[in-house]
Amino acid sequence: MEHSSRLDPPIRVLAKAVRARIRPGRLRDMLHGVPIGHPLHPLLATFTLGSLAGTAVLDLTSVDPRAARVLLTTGLAAALPTAAAGITDWSSLHREQQRVGFVHAVANVTALSLYTTSLLMRLTGRTRTGRTLSFLGLGAASLAGYLGGHLAHRQAAGANHAESVTHLVPTGWHDLCTLRELPHGRPVIRRLGYIDLFVLRLGETVTILADGCSHLAGPLHQGRIAVEDGTPCIICPWHGSVFRLTDGSVVHGPATAPQPCLQTRLSEDGIVQVCV
């Protein structure tokens, strides 16, 4: 599915529309999950799918039909913020991930249509038809969940792409380069063992972060330096994630995980050293 380009035209249109509608800022950061430091969509999806699946359990028992209606209504109400968070994340993914995510979304829309119709049937007294539609909706939601799992675990959408870099080099202090090799005010890339590092010199101060963006491993050294709330930051060139240079923390998403920030020092003979 991820290798098929047949869905690319509607994907391009929809992704562009989402980015135009939900502009960078507080709302977009909230939908990405920046305030909690983790993607928001999986958390909401767990609650939503749990409520809808719970409806099937109640339908299989002899409990009061009102209990099933309440749980179904809860799941449908939670679906709106869940979808908003999901489509916001989706709009900032690679095309291969967006292809799977698009089908994931179509399956979810199908499931919600079936569940909504099921609720209407129940409210008008056609409980048996409503239960049948709920089971069909659960099938569509299960397919969507499978695709969501593939997207998250196989394609690593939403995973932290920078967390493990410090484990690729022995702990302790390492010589990186001489200070005079580094241009002033322009980020460059330097390699330490198996990892690429973002290196920025400002006078005698050197800031070093992991170069691969925690969102989808974009090359931060190709990004743009900016000032946010009086603090210098780096903007990822791929999807616009913003990190503080002082500690690697996230200012704006789509990244939710902080960028590893390495301690540095300057030796007496002008060698920049980094501690892993």
Side-chain angles (χ1 to χ4, degrees):
M1 185 184 300
E2 57 258 44
H3 301 299
S4 173
S5 60
R6 294 181 179 180
L7 295 176
D8 286 359
I11 286 174
R12 281 193 294 267
V13 172
L14 181 58
K16 183 178 180 180
V18 172
R19 292 193 297 268
R21 186 69 176 177
I22 309 176
R23 304 291 297 174
R26 182 172 299 179
L27 174 61
R28 190 175 183 89
D29 287 342
M30 182 179 67
L31 291 174
H32 281 309
V34 173
I36 62 175
H38 292 278
L40 180 63
H41 177 66
L43 176 64
L44 296 178
T46 300
F47 178 81
T48 302
L49 185 57
S51 298
L52 297 177
T55 302
V57 175
L58 295 180
D59 284 340
L60 292 172
T61 64
S62 57
V63 299
D64 189 333
R66 290 178 297 179
R69 291 199 298 269
V70 169
L71 198 56
L72 177 54
T73 303
T74 301
L76 290 173
L80 182 60
T82 302
I87 200 169
T88 302
D89 287 342
W90 173 85
S91 68
S92 296
L93 295 177
H94 294 316
R95 184 52 49 84
E96 292 82 2
Q97 297 166 325
Q98 287 182 333
R99 290 166 181 163
V100 176
F102 185 82
V103 181
H104 166 75
V106 170
N108 273 322
V109 170
T110 301
L112 291 177
S113 298
L114 290 167
Y115 275 117
T116 300
T117 307
S118 169
L119 180 60
L120 294 176
M121 294 295 103
R122 295 167 192 261
L123 292 175
T124 55
R126 288 172 283 184
T127 303
R128 179 173 297 180
T129 302
R131 287 174 177 173
T132 300
L133 290 171
S134 284
F135 288 123
L136 292 175
L138 182 60
S142 298
L143 173 61
Y146 171 81
L147 293 174
H150 179 83
L151 187 62
H153 298 288
R154 184 67 62 84
Q155 294 184 297
N160 184 353
H161 289 257
E163 184 66 24
S164 63
V165 293
T166 56
H167 303 297
L168 301 176
V169 178
T171 57
W173 287 95
H174 302 269
D175 293 342
L176 185 63
C177 62
T178 63
L179 182 65
R180 64 175 178 270
E181 293 177 33
L182 302 175
H184 175 77
R186 179 171 62 86
V188 295
I189 186 172
R190 290 291 183 270
R191 193 163 184 83
L192 179 65
Y194 295 101
I195 62 175
D196 291 328
L197 299 176
F198 163 96
V199 183
L200 176 65
R201 174 190 175 188
L202 296 174
E204 299 294 309
T205 302
V206 178
T207 298
I208 297 182
L209 306 175
D211 188 60
C213 175
S214 63
H215 175 232
L216 284 175
L220 290 187
H221 73 280
Q222 297 179 11
R224 178 171 57 90
I225 303 297
V227 176
E228 292 276 347
D229 299 326
T231 303
C233 301
I234 180 66
I235 302 176
C236 179
W238 281 6
H239 302 103
S241 296
V242 182
F243 303 93
R244 289 188 180 89
L245 290 174
T246 52
D247 58 5
S249 58
V250 180
V251 178
H252 297 299
T256 58
Q259 201 66 17
C261 182
L262 282 66
Q263 184 180 356
T264 63
R265 69 185 182 188
L266 190 63
S267 68
E268 294 180 357
D269 53 354
I271 300 295
V272 177
Q273 297 178 324
V274 58
C275 184
V276 178

